[in-house]
Amino acid sequence: MARATTPRRKAFNTALAWAVGLVIFFPILWIVVLSFKTEGDAIRPPLEVLFDAAWTVESYGVVQERSNYVKHFSNSVIIALGSTVLGLLVAVPAAWSMAFVPSRRTKDILMWMLSTKMLPAVGVLYPIYLIFIKLGLLDTRTGLVIVLMLINLPIIVWMLYTYFREIPGEILEAARMDGAGLREEILYVLTPMAVPGIASTLLLNVILAWNEAFWTLNLTAANAGPLTAFIASYSSPEGLFYAKLSAASTMAIAPILILGWFSQRQLVRGLTFGAVK
């Protein structure tokens, strides 16, 4: 029997949740506030910034004049979506094999794949950099799509494997008895049943690829630089221009924040898929 929650306890939990949410969201809020201030006001004490400093869009105008935001934005979209779609094309058959044709080594393979995420990225930067130079992939969107797909592939496989394991194997056996081949089984039976899980996997990996900074800063220059490189261009040896850096950061994170806001229901549904029997 569920334990009743008192009004005082419910109020405390609500206040605590709002406090934690505010702490997590405050850095983003402060970046947005600073983006509407001048460089002189941006370095003033916080209370003066909020109540005494004038609001202006000057920093956004300077950022638009100095940088090609549309180019960086399109690079981010192509790289994030391309790496995610390519990862799904590889991960769906792999997760299907592990979920429905298991072997004694399945758990070991999954753990090995996950362990690759624990490797410091800088440990493989040099060989990947040399490979990119040899293949002509340096500062190209194709190269970044491949790299981001590979570094996020373990997460995609793990998530899809978890969702596929919740689908009864008898359904796939019935499809085979009706004459469905492997291709039809994956495309017309398995994939539609796992749409919530696949959608949440897609959304999560788009966010991971969009926010990736290490590889995008080290493997790109002027041509294929996404929005992470766009933000980094406002950190110079002469010092940090807080207002302009905040404006560039706001312009970079706004699209993914909007995407996350409108897709949060689908993301939560997918992440909890199969959690309740």
Side-chain angles (χ1 to χ4, degrees):
M1 182 176 178
R3 185 173 56 183
T5 303
T6 63
R8 180 178 298 180
R9 181 71 177 180
K10 185 179 297 185
F12 173 79
N13 291 340
T14 302
L16 181 62
W18 275 99
V20 172
L22 181 61
V23 169
I24 295 174
F25 183 71
F26 180 77
I28 299 175
L29 176 63
W30 192 245
I31 287 174
V32 175
V33 170
L34 291 183
S35 69
F36 290 99
K37 305 296 180 179
T38 63
E39 291 294 346
D41 290 334
I43 60 175
R44 295 171 65 183
L47 292 179
E48 294 183 12
V49 172
L50 282 175
F51 300 109
D52 295 338
W55 295 76
T56 177
V57 294
E58 174 188 346
S59 296
Y60 287 95
V62 174
V63 169
Q64 290 281 21
E65 293 175 2
R66 173 178 167 179
S67 305
N68 189 346
Y69 173 79
V70 175
K71 178 181 179 180
H72 291 290
F73 174 78
S74 62
N75 286 342
S76 286
V77 172
I78 292 172
I79 292 168
L81 292 179
S83 63
T84 301
V85 172
L86 184 60
L88 286 175
L89 292 176
V90 175
V92 168
W96 172 88
S97 177
M98 293 180 182
F100 299 107
V101 192
S103 69
R104 293 180 299 174
R105 297 292 183 182
T106 297
K107 291 185 178 180
D108 295 335
I109 294 174
L110 286 169
M111 289 304 299
W112 172 78
M113 293 180 63
L114 190 61
S115 69
T116 61
K117 294 294 294 179
M118 304 175 191
L119 175 70
V122 70
V124 292
L125 172 62
Y126 188 64
I128 289 180
Y129 191 85
L130 294 179
I131 292 172
F132 269 47
I133 293 177
K134 287 287 186 180
L135 299 179
L137 294 175
L138 197 63
D139 196 22
T140 64
R141 292 181 293 198
T142 301
L144 277 181
V145 166
I146 295 173
V147 167
L148 295 187
M149 182 274 289
L150 292 174
I151 66 174
N152 289 329
L153 189 60
I155 296 177
I156 301 177
V157 173
W158 258 92
M159 292 183 67
L160 292 180
Y161 169 78
T162 302
Y163 301 136
F164 289 174
R165 288 286 293 173
E166 300 298 328
I167 297 176
E170 292 79 6
I171 296 178
L172 301 182
E173 292 178 4
R176 295 180 196 133
M177 293 178 64
D178 288 339
L182 178 59
R183 177 176 174 273
E184 290 77 14
E185 180 181 328
I186 293 177
L187 288 179
Y188 302 118
V189 181
L190 181 66
T191 302
M193 295 185 66
V195 164
I198 293 175
S200 64
T201 302
L202 187 147
L203 290 171
L204 181 60
N205 282 272
V206 165
I207 294 171
L208 291 175
W210 187 280
N211 294 330
E212 176 60 40
F214 179 83
W215 293 108
T216 56
L217 294 178
N218 285 285
L219 298 178
T220 62
N223 294 327
L227 288 172
T228 47
F230 169 73
I231 296 174
S233 66
Y234 287 89
S235 176
S236 65
E238 291 79 13
L240 289 175
F241 299 94
Y242 290 107
K244 297 179 183 62
L245 183 61
S246 298
S249 300
T250 301
M251 295 170 68
I253 65 177
I256 204 67
L257 283 178
I258 295 172
L259 174 65
W261 177 265
F262 284 104
S263 61
Q264 59 180 324
R265 180 175 299 179
Q266 180 63 45
L267 184 59
V268 172
R269 181 188 173 194
L271 292 175
T272 57
F273 178 70
V276 180
K277 297 288 187 180

